[in-house]
Amino acid sequence: MEKITLHKDNGSSTTTISNRFIDEYMTGANGEFVKIYLYLLRCMNSPDCSFSISKAADNFNHTEKDIQRALKYWEKMNLLKLEYAADKSIAGIYFLDSEAGADKDDSVPLKKAPAPVPDTSYSADDLKSFQEKEEVQELMFVAESYLKRPLTSTDIQTLLSWYDHLGLSADLIVYLLEYCIAGGHSSLHYMDKVAISWREKDIRTVEQAKGNTQAHSRLHYAVLKSLGIQGRSLVPAEFSYIDKWSKEYGFSEDMIAEACSRTILSIHQPNFEYADRILANWKRQGISSMEEIRRADEAFQAAKAAERAHAAAARNNTAKPAALNRFNSFPQRTYNMDQLEAELLNTAR
């Protein structure tokens, strides 16, 4: 597998690990997966470090599939985002919670996704000041009730960052907790993504959030139905695909559902990567409506019919001549009938 070049913006020789990673992710992860994640962080602090799946496998005495499984695990946990080349090999690795970044070149760089708000860290005095507010006290109480556990210092910092830096009201944060937990997502890291998304959309009230979530719920249900998925909720990586289709590609609900339906017809199983290839192809062709899909289908079928007709005509033009039968397979002779008649008369005499 080709080398992956990593870049960073500063010359620091230290590796920083967030408290959130230690508190929320490290304890529940496979130890080998943790090693791979820390190794990636370490590589980010080596200027122009060469990284490859095979090299990592050799360093840890793993198979390349073991390294890929670790990367996909951290992608599912929303700490990494993997980008794939046409041959399905890993073409890019984005850190979602790191400080270094890289520009894409002919090698495969490790990158950082830009954060819309800075990390926050409140001092003891800040915390005391916030907790003197009655609505903040109520918010912390409700959060503990929903999460069914005491809040850690990281939890409190996260909640206050929504309230202070993102500017979400206490009521809106309570609804955010309700919405995420009802959907089976009790991780504050997941909720943080939702909170940032609402800030980017300038959602300020519970009513606005409900309108947004209802639209998302319809789209998610349409995808689940079209792919025939039953008995489970979508996982974060699948939510990311849907957000990509609706936000980055700008496709409507019916077009996304159509791509999912075509996925089932083609490979007979739900596969978000396959549906993504269909939608990416439509995006490249500039297709933006169901009518344009219909016209593209008709053009494709017409091209296939023309190709078949051309092939049939070519076969006819190169067909062999009919075989000779046993009567005409010998060289034919020409005769002078008058001369033959004279010869026969002379013989008869």
Side-chain angles (χ1 to χ4, degrees):
M1 189 171 290
E2 295 298 323
K3 289 184 177 180
I4 302 173
T5 303
L6 290 74
H7 304 280
K8 64 189 293 294
D9 292 333
N10 57 62
S12 173
S13 61
T14 62
T15 300
T16 302
I17 304 171
S18 69
N19 290 334
R20 174 174 293 169
F21 177 80
I22 297 172
D23 294 340
E24 298 186 15
Y25 297 97
M26 188 176 74
T27 55
N30 179 299
E32 299 303 317
F33 291 175
V34 173
K35 289 181 183 178
I36 301 305
Y37 184 78
L38 296 179
Y39 176 68
L40 288 174
L41 288 177
R42 170 66 183 87
C43 287
M44 290 294 292
N45 288 278
S46 297
D48 297 331
C49 171
S50 293
F51 172 83
S52 71
I53 303 296
S54 58
K55 181 180 177 181
D58 290 340
N59 285 345
F60 291 95
N61 196 26
H62 289 336
T63 66
E64 292 187 9
K65 288 186 177 179
D66 291 333
I67 304 299
Q68 291 169 357
R69 274 193 291 270
L71 296 176
K72 289 179 180 178
Y73 171 80
W74 293 119
E75 180 181 45
K76 187 176 293 185
M77 299 304 294
N78 283 329
L79 292 184
L80 299 178
K81 183 178 185 300
L82 304 181
E83 185 179 73
Y84 294 89
D87 62 356
K88 297 185 179 180
S89 63
I90 295 176
I93 305 174
Y94 295 78
F95 267 103
L96 300 182
D97 282 324
S98 64
E99 293 299 325
D103 294 325
K104 188 172 181 180
D105 54 20
D106 291 337
S107 61
V108 182
L110 212 63
K111 305 174 183 178
K112 167 191 169 286
V117 292
D119 291 336
T120 55
S121 180
Y122 296 102
S123 67
D125 290 339
D126 292 331
L127 296 176
K128 182 178 178 181
S129 176
F130 278 119
Q131 290 175 345
E132 288 176 352
K133 296 182 178 181
E134 184 177 351
E135 65 175 0
V136 172
Q137 294 175 14
E138 293 178 356
L139 173 59
M140 299 301 169
F141 174 78
V142 171
E144 284 192 343
S145 300
Y146 281 140
L147 296 173
K148 298 180 180 179
R149 60 174 174 79
L151 297 178
T152 66
S153 60
T154 302
D155 295 339
I156 294 172
Q157 295 276 350
T158 300
L159 288 166
L160 289 178
S161 73
W162 301 346
Y163 179 82
D164 181 39
H165 275 287
L166 297 184
L168 305 184
S169 68
D171 288 343
L172 186 55
I173 295 174
V174 169
Y175 176 71
L176 187 153
L177 293 166
E178 292 175 352
Y179 167 69
C180 292
I181 291 174
H185 304 288
S186 58
S187 165
L188 280 187
H189 178 68
Y190 177 89
M191 297 180 189
D192 193 45
K193 302 292 184 184
V194 177
I196 292 172
S197 173
W198 287 2
R199 174 185 181 271
E200 291 174 341
K201 296 176 182 177
D202 198 29
I203 293 175
R204 299 292 182 180
T205 67
V206 173
E207 290 70 24
Q208 289 175 325
K210 286 181 176 179
N212 178 74
T213 55
Q214 286 171 0
H216 273 74
S217 296
R218 287 195 304 271
L219 177 56
H220 296 162
Y221 174 76
V223 169
L224 288 169
K225 182 179 179 180
S226 299
L227 288 175
I229 297 175
Q230 296 180 344
R232 72 168 180 85
S233 300
L234 295 170
V235 300
E238 294 169 341
F239 280 119
S240 297
Y241 270 117
I242 297 175
D243 285 345
K244 175 184 178 182
W245 301 337
S246 62
K247 297 175 183 176
E248 181 180 336
Y249 290 170
F251 287 127
S252 62
E253 178 183 317
D254 55 354
M255 292 187 70
I256 293 172
E258 178 67 18
C260 293
S261 297
R262 293 185 182 213
T263 297
I264 295 297
L265 290 174
S266 297
I267 62 175
H268 311 293
Q269 61 181 350
N271 187 304
F272 280 77
E273 290 183 10
Y274 193 93
D276 184 62
R277 288 197 292 272
I278 294 175
L279 290 163
N281 185 49
W282 288 347
K283 182 69 173 177
R284 284 192 297 271
Q285 296 181 54
I287 295 174
S288 59
S289 69
M290 293 297 293
E291 176 60 24
E292 290 177 351
I293 292 176
R294 184 188 64 78
R295 289 200 295 266
D297 287 343
E298 290 176 351
F300 177 78
Q301 294 301 327
K304 293 294 288 184
E307 182 180 344
R308 288 193 296 268
H310 178 75
R315 288 194 297 270
N316 291 336
N317 291 335
T318 58
K320 295 180 179 179
L324 298 173
N325 59 35
R326 62 191 181 93
F327 298 105
N328 60 16
S329 60
F330 298 101
Q332 302 296 308
R333 298 173 181 172
T334 58
Y335 299 94
N336 187 320
M337 298 304 296
D338 292 336
Q339 182 181 352
L340 286 175
E341 185 179 359
E343 289 178 357
L344 288 172
L345 290 173
N346 290 333
T347 303
R349 291 176 184 170

